[in-house]
Amino acid sequence: MTGQVSFPRQYARTQRFSLGAPRSFTVSPDGSRVVFIRSRSGTDRSGVLWVLDPATGGEFPAADPAVLLAGAGEELSAEEKARRERLREGSAGVVGYAVDSAAELAAFPLSGRLFVAELRGGTARELPVPGPVADPRPSPDGRRVAYVAGGALRVVDVEPAPGEASGAGADRALAEPDGPTVTWGLAEFVAAEEMDRHRGFWWAPDGESLLAARVDDAPVQRWWIADPANPGSRPAEVGYPAAGTPNAEVTLSLLGLDGTRTDVRWDRERHPYLARVHWSAGGPPLLLVQSRDQRHQAYLTVDTGTGATSVLHEEQDAKWLELFPGVPAWSPDGRLVRISDEDGSRALVVGDRTLTGSGLHLRAVLDIGDDDVLVSASAGAGAEEPGTGETHVYRVSEQGVERVSQERGWHSAVRSGAVTVLVSAVPERAGATFRVLRDGAEATGVTSYAEAPVLTSRARLTEAGARRIPCAVLLPTGYTEGDGPLPVLMDPYGGPHGPRVVAGHNAHLTSQWFADQGFAVVVADGRGTPHRSPAWEKAIHEDFAGVTLDDQVEALQALAADFPLDLGRVGIRGWSYGGYLAALAVLRRPDVFHAAVAGAPVTDWRLYDTHYTERYLGLPDEKPKVYAHNSLVTDDGLAEAAGPVRPLMIVHGLADDNVVAAHTLRLSSALLAAGRPHEVLPLSGVTHMTPQEQVAENLLLLQVDFLKKSLGMARRTA
C-alpha cells in the first residue's frame, strides 16, 4: 500500500464512502427538476443542495452552506444533535430539506437558522426567525414555512407583506408549550428511533392548517448521561422510555392559520402509539395508531371539522405488526394504500384489492401514481428464486407487476410523474449509480463524487444449512486452496431491520478488509433479519438469544463443507444488536466461538426502549423469564454461560443515548463477579454512531489486533 491511504483511514474519513454521493432525492411533479443533497468531494462533510435538469443533465447548486454562512462553522443546538443522532446523520451543512408541492421552494436549517432556496433559479436566503430552528417545511403552495423553535410550532410568511421591508413576512406561533416537558411539532424519542417517524407536523393540502403532535415527556423516566472524561461538566438529562416504563404522552391537534385549534380524538388507551400520519388531496387526514404490544393497529380518518376519528381498517397479529415506509397513504382516486402484514406475506393492498402475492416480500411504497404504485421488494417465500441479498423496484398495477430495476443488486427509487431516479448498488461495481429515467428510458445520470475504495470486495453470496440462511463469505485477496483453512470471523448484525447480506459491493468492504488480514469472514442473516417472509422475521418472538445464535452456528458449520474454515479458531464481532450477538456467542457457545468483540451491546433488554423491546419480548413484568433468558447480565442469563472462558472485548461510547453505557458496565460487573476475564474499551464523547474519524479508524485496527491475538494469529503488519 505504499503511497496509498489505508482502508481504515479511507473508510473513516469518507464516512463509510457516503460523502460525495448524491442522496435525498426529490422529483418535481412536472419532471423538470431533480433536487438532491451532495457534498463537493468524497471527504467533504458539508452537504450542498443541488438541482438537476433531466432534459439536459445540467446541474447547479441551489444552496451552499459555505456561502450562506459566510465561511463560519456550524453551531448545533442540543435538539438538533439529538435529531441527527436519531437519523444516524453524521454529515454537516445541508443534511435535510423539505419542498412545497411543486418542488419550487426548499426549506432547510443551517446552524439553527432558517433558509429557503428558490429551486428554479438557484437563489437562497435566510428568513430571520426565532431559533434554533428544527424541521422547517414549506406549505404546499410555497407561501409559508412552518418550523419548530423553543418547543413551539411556528409559521413564517416567505415573502413580506406589500409595503414591508424585504426579508420574511409575518412570523407567529401556532402552538406553544404549556409546560417545561411539552413540545409541539417534534417526534418523540421512540417514534424517531424505532417507528421511522421523524416528523411531528403535517400541512393540509390547501396550506391553511396543520396537524401537529403535542408531546409531553413528563411521564418518561429521567436518565443522566455523564462525560467521565470531563468531571466538571453537568450530566445530560434525557427522557428514556425503557421497556415496561411509561412513554411520552402524544396527542394530535388541527391548528388553523387563523388561530383555531381542534383536538383530534381517538382511543389512546387502546392505541397509544401514533405511528404514521398522512394528509393529501386523496382524502382526509389518515392516521395509523398501534396498541402498546403492537399486535393490533387501526387506520383512522380524521374529521377536520370536529377532530373525531373513524376506523377505516384494522389489523392484528399474534406476534406483532410491522411498520413500513410510504404507507398508509391515499391513492389519487381516494383508495387506501397499505402493506399487509397478515396472512403470511407482505403484500401491497390498494382499496379492497391485494395486488401482489407470496412471490414478493414488500419493503416500502415509493410512489403512488394515477395508474400504478412503485414499490421496493425482495423475493418472497413463494418466489421461484430466492435472489439472495437483492431488493428491486417494481411497478404494481391492476394489470400486474413489472420489475423496473434489472441488474442483480440492491435498488431503490424516487419518482414523480414520468421521471424516476433509480439508485442501484451491484456486487460488481463500487458505490452506487444514480440514473434518471423518463417514461422508463434513461435520460441522464447524477454524478457521484464518492471515493473509490482502495480495496475490492469479493463477497460470495450463498445460502447455508437446512434453513437456507443467506450468507456472504469473503476470503483474503489472492487466497488459493493451497493456503489451507483460515481462522474464521463471523461478522453479523443478525437482528431486526438490519440486513447485512446485500447484493452490493460497498456493503462488504469492511468484511473484505478483515478477510485481507487473514480471516475467512462470514456474514450470516439468520431468522429475525428482513428477508423472505413474516414467518422468518417473527421467528425471534420472545427468543433473541436462542434463534439468532442458533442460526449463526448453523450457517458457520454448514459453510465449512464448502469453504476453507478452521472451526478451531472462530471469532465474532458486531455492533449494537451485533454486539449483543457477539457477546452472547462466546458466553453461551464457547464450544463454537473462541473470541469476540462486542460493540455497544444491549446486554439487559430492560434497559432498552419500549417500542422496540416490547414488540419482540413483551412487557418485563409480564414476561420476566423471557427477559432473563435473553439477558446477558441476569442470574438466569449468566447461568446459561458455560464452558471455557473466551476472550471478550467490549467497546462502548460513553455519550450513547440509544444503547447507554450502563449496558456494558452491568455486563462487566456481572462478568467480574462471575470471575470471567474480559476487556472494556470506553470511548469518551462517542455516541452510538461513532462518527469521529480517528475513532472509526482506530476501532477497526484495535479489533483486528485483539482478534488476532486471541486466536493465535500473527499480528497486523499493515
Side-chain angles (χ1 to χ4, degrees), residues 487-526:
V488 184
L489 176 60
M490 303 295 286
D491 192 13
Y493 180 77
H497 308 290
R500 289 286 320 280
V501 181
V502 174
H505 183 274
N506 282 25
H508 303 289
L509 286 172
T510 305
S511 296
Q512 183 66 58
W513 179 77
F514 274 98
D516 288 346
Q517 310 310 305
F519 296 93
V521 177
V522 174
V523 182
D525 278 357

Side-chain angles (χ1 to χ4, degrees), residues 535-610:
W536 177 271
E537 296 181 21
K538 295 179 182 181
I540 60 172
H541 185 240
E542 297 187 354
D543 189 15
F544 286 152
V547 170
T548 54
L549 182 55
D550 286 349
D551 283 8
Q552 295 297 310
V553 174
E554 179 178 337
L556 171 68
Q557 295 177 341
L559 290 170
D562 299 311
F563 293 92
L565 308 184
D566 180 353
L567 298 187
R569 292 187 292 174
V570 178
I572 183 170
R573 67 180 286 267
W575 193 268
S576 197
Y577 192 97
Y580 164 73
L581 187 51
L584 185 74
V586 290
L587 291 175
R588 299 198 184 173
R589 293 302 306 268
D591 57 318
V592 176
F593 300 95
H594 307 99
V597 176
V602 177
T603 66
D604 184 349
W605 290 102
R606 295 171 301 181
L607 291 178
Y608 201 60
D609 71 54
T610 52

Side-chain angles (χ1 to χ4, degrees), residues 14 17-22 38 41-42 431 447-452 506:
T14 61
F17 301 95
S18 64
L19 299 179
R38 182 186 59 201
S41 78
T447 302
S448 174
Y449 299 147
E451 283 197 2
N506 282 25

Side-chain angles (χ1 to χ4, degrees), residues 94 127 559:
V94 181
L127 300 183
L559 290 170

Side-chain angles (χ1 to χ4, degrees), residues 271 288-290 296-299 313-315 321-323:
H271 296 118
L288 177 60
V289 293
Q290 286 189 321
H296 190 276
Q297 62 190 24
Y299 298 78
H313 182 76
E314 294 184 270
E315 294 175 330
L321 290 160
E322 201 67 47
L323 298 172

